[in-house]
Amino acid sequence: MTHAGSDAVSYARHHGGKTAAESGDRIVWVKLSLAFLPLATPVSDAKVLTGRQKPLTEVAIIFAELQTRDGFTGVGFSYSKRAGGQGIYAHACELADALLGEDPNDISKIYTKLLWAGASVGRSGMAVQAISPFDIALWDMKARRAGLPLAKLFGAHRDSVQCYNTSGGFLHTPLDQVLKNVAISRDNGIGGIKIKVGQPDTAEDLRRLSAVRQALGDDFPLMVDANQQWDRETAIRMGRKMEAFNLVWIEEPLDAYDVEGHAALASALDTPIATGEMLTSFREHEQLILGHASDVVQPDAPRVGGITPFLQIMDLAARHGRKLAPHFAMEIHLHLAAAYPIEPWLEHFEWLNPLFNEQLELRDGRMWISDRPGLGFSLSEQARKWTVLTSETGQRP
Ligand SMILES: [Mg+2]
């Protein structure tokens, strides 16, 4: 018997005597939900201090729940900060029918089908952010079906990922409170701290950074994030001043689409440059990577259209020797970062915790993969309470 034959027999033993190909399992039910997650305090980064955005008060979450005829389930989500959540939800509702009757294992086929269904609105941005919840739910289902955490389905390089905290160092937070937050995060086992910079008063940025570095000591991993608010001249001047702070990286020093500017900065500074969180497709990340625009790439699976394009970005980034630090959504990115060949960083945000019944484990500076299959999350009652719109397609078996 061939090795493939043995696998087929083993699969059949667990699935009513049928192989995956013979089972004919199909997606029969799709549910979409739009929820608004409120934040305890309005949040400001440099985009608010330069007057470009209002403080963030809530996050729109678009959930997809899938079920197959044989009873397999999957959950995925996309999100939007400030505007866009209603649009993503509306477009996802238009696409949902296309999943019915498909074999959930054929994720690439389904992805292409959904892309063509919405081809008129493009292959980036909101158009693909409406595909993300489906794609993420399909990967979750595939791993649940295999009885594996998603990281193991991909082929993990590690069981845990070094993890840094962002939420304690925003610009609406006074420095004395930032220093308290830093101490609490450290006591809770965080492996690194990131603070926001990029405000119009650059001296204030340096004052806050200096105080945090002093509190942490010279070697504790520390990053800064300017949220795209410097011009090229300010970025190089600030970058040079910040070389003394032994930073892990300087994040989004320039406009997210300024490939040339980022490349010049990355080449001029010893401190690594990180960017990519605002990009919304594989193609945009390809320009960044091939343009030598960053040392650390920061894709975001919900934002780029799901796990399927994220895996393509990982592959390209790894082949070009870049580091990986995915943006936000640690619930998804833990699994992807664990499968990256070069030691990555995971961004810790506690904001989404109330949406799920399960929580991730932070210990010894790292976030650990649980033994729960798939992404390892189920939606909480609180997530249902924050839901304002739902739409169901097909029949739940
Ligand atoms: Mg950032």
Side-chain angles (χ1 to χ4, degrees), residues 196-207:
K196 298 291 188 179
V197 293
Q199 47 192 323
D201 182 353
T202 54
E204 180 61 11
D205 278 346
L206 292 169
R207 190 177 77 87

Side-chain angles (χ1 to χ4, degrees), residues 104-148:
N105 296 299
D106 298 342
I107 298 178
S108 300
K109 178 193 169 192
I110 296 170
Y111 200 92
T112 303
K113 187 179 181 184
L114 296 176
L115 266 185
W116 280 109
S120 181
V121 285
R123 293 187 192 177
S124 62
M126 199 184 283
V128 295
Q129 285 155 13
I131 297 177
S132 296
F134 300 127
D135 181 71
I136 293 164
L138 287 167
W139 281 104
D140 179 46
M141 183 191 288
K142 183 171 265 210
R144 288 190 200 205
R145 189 186 282 260
L148 294 169

